[in-house]
């Protein structure tokens, strides 16, 4: 599934502004890696990002893509979507959102919910540590997997 042109534009603007503000050089390769991630809702892993970027930028190496993702993560420009325990998947949507995960095919989609944003945090968490962010993950069977089953 692809992200709207307007949203990609917004993500790219935020990306370039943040790079400028933090003094991170806007190299062609960084732009291309981020553009790839900004244009998809798939929350791809590094290997998938590498494969798609190298279709457009054949000269780019796997190592560069992996290092670029790590750098962008350090700078807060992308984040790891802790979705499927065994795969590091990336997310360029830095707005507050939640995830729907298909346990059958691994599809991941963003969704927004003010009600979930405001879920009360149990007091008992205080004994475990300080909460810095929350997100809700709904797991289930996506509609195309459900169709395939019938
Ligand atoms: Zn599915
Ligand atoms: Zn997401």
């Amino acid at each position: 599934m692809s992200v709207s042109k307007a949203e990609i534009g917004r993500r790219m603007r935020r990306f370039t502004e943040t790079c400028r503000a933090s003094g991170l050089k806007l190299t062609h390769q960084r732009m291309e890696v981020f553009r790839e991630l900004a244009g998809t809702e798939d929350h791809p892993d590094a290997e998938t990002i590498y494969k798609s970027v190298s279709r457009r930028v054949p000269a780019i190496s796997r190592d560069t893509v992996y290092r670029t993702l790590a750098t962008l993560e350090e700078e807060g420009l992308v984040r790891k979507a802790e979705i499927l325990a065994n795969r590091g998947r990336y997310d360029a949507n830095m707005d507050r959102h939640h995830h729907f995960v298909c346990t059958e095919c691994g599809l991941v989609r963003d969704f927004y919910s003010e009600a979930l944003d405001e879920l009360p945090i149990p007091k008992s968490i205080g004994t475990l540590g300080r909460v810095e962010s929350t997100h809700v993950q709904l797991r289930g069977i996506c509609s195309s997997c459900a169709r395939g089953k019938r």
Side-chain angles (χ1 to χ4, degrees):
M1 191 182 271
S2 56
V3 176
S4 75
K5 276 221 174 73
E7 177 59 21
I8 296 174
R10 202 174 70 90
R11 291 178 181 183
M12 293 305 298
R13 272 195 303 282
R14 176 151 66 189
F15 176 74
T16 52
E17 278 160 20
T18 308
C19 283
R20 244 177 244 129
S22 62
L24 189 70
K25 251 177 115 189
L26 268 176
T27 63
H28 176 63
Q29 295 182 325
R30 280 178 185 153
M31 293 280 282
E32 290 303 319
V33 169
F34 185 80
R35 193 190 309 282
E36 188 58 43
L37 192 55
T40 178
E41 260 203 83
D42 289 342
H43 301 71
D45 61 15
E47 190 60 24
T48 307
I49 296 168
Y50 162 67
K51 282 187 185 132
S52 335
V53 172
S54 63
R55 245 173 264 139
R56 287 186 285 114
V57 190
I60 202 163
S61 72
R62 174 179 277 112
D63 190 53
T64 300
V65 172
Y66 277 68
R67 272 190 293 108
T68 300
L69 286 167
T71 305
L72 298 186
E73 192 190 352
E74 269 163 39
E75 298 291 329
L77 291 158
V78 304
R79 60 185 154 205
K80 279 250 175 71
E82 305 291 352
I83 292 167
L84 303 165
N86 53 344
R87 277 161 87 196
R89 314 237 319 216
Y90 287 92
D91 196 347
N93 184 357
M94 304 302 280
D95 291 334
R96 185 93 197 258
H97 68 281
H98 307 277
H99 291 122
F100 172 84
V101 178
C102 175
T103 53
E104 209 51 40
C105 67
L107 167 132
V108 179
R109 287 292 175 260
D110 293 341
F111 70 93
Y112 300 87
S113 162
E114 277 176 30
L116 293 185
D117 290 349
E118 275 148 32
L119 277 184
I121 297 185
K123 279 212 178 65
S124 59
I125 298 295
T127 63
L128 300 175
R130 184 163 50 93
V131 174
E132 293 182 331
S133 67
T134 58
H135 103 276
V136 176
Q137 182 185 124
L138 304 182
R139 300 170 75 89
I141 308 294
C142 75
S143 37
S144 64
C145 285
R147 266 197 306 278
K149 282 194 154 164
R150 244 170 251 151

